[in-house]
């Protein structure tokens, strides 16, 4: 989480990229553990999104969504998933994610 938070605050793009790379590395290891939390998957997915690694971002975001039922956190996960799908040029899947997220905002 240290690297993720550091990347999120970084102003320089090279520091940001390096921190997201480190965050993805360690969150990837952490997400393989049985005691991994939903936020670990979300932050791994977001780190990969920031690295434009859309293909690898989809799986942790799916895992996050499977364990998240509250409307606002679910909306955050669906929005991140849609970003990954747009990056993969899977526009139908991205639209489906957005369509699922929109009613959660009411």
């Amino acid at each position: 989480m240290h690297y993720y938070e550091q990347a999120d605050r970084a102003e320089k793009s090279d520091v940001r990229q390096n921190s997201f790379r480190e965050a993805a590395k360690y969150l990837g290891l952490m997400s393989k553990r049985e005691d991994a939390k939903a936020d670990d998957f979300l932050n791994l997915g977001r780190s990969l999104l920031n690295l434009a690694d859309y293909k690898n971002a989809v799986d942790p975001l799916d895992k996050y969504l499977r364990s998240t039922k509250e409307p606002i956190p679910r909306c955050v996960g669906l929005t991140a998933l849609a970003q990954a799908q747009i990056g993969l040029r899977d526009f139908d899947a991205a639209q489906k994610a957005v369509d699922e997220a929109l009613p959660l905002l009411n």
Side-chain angles (χ1 to χ4, degrees):
M1 283 307 302
H2 166 76
Y3 288 112
Y4 181 82
E5 291 167 358
Q6 180 178 326
D8 209 31
R9 290 189 308 263
E11 293 181 18
K12 293 184 179 180
S13 64
D14 59 327
V15 172
R16 202 171 152 74
Q17 290 295 343
N18 288 335
S19 294
F20 276 127
R21 195 172 295 111
E22 290 297 310
K25 175 182 169 182
Y26 291 110
L27 287 166
L29 292 171
M30 218 160 107
S31 69
K32 293 178 183 177
R33 296 173 43 150
E34 287 184 31
D35 62 343
K37 295 177 175 40
D39 284 346
D40 297 332
F41 293 107
L42 176 63
N43 292 328
L44 173 57
R46 285 176 158 175
S47 294
L48 293 166
L49 276 176
N50 280 288
L51 295 169
D53 188 354
Y54 307 116
K55 182 178 178 184
N56 289 318
V58 170
D59 184 55
L61 293 170
D62 279 337
K63 288 179 181 174
Y64 172 77
L65 289 167
R66 282 194 294 261
S67 64
T68 304
K69 304 302 176 207
E70 292 296 315
I72 299 302
R74 188 158 179 77
C75 186
V76 168
L78 287 164
T79 303
L81 179 61
Q83 289 174 324
Q85 292 163 330
I86 289 169
L88 293 170
R89 305 189 67 71
D90 187 354
F91 301 116
D92 290 336
Q95 184 65 56
K96 183 179 174 186
V98 170
D99 289 343
E100 186 180 337
L102 286 175
L104 298 174
L105 296 174
N106 292 330

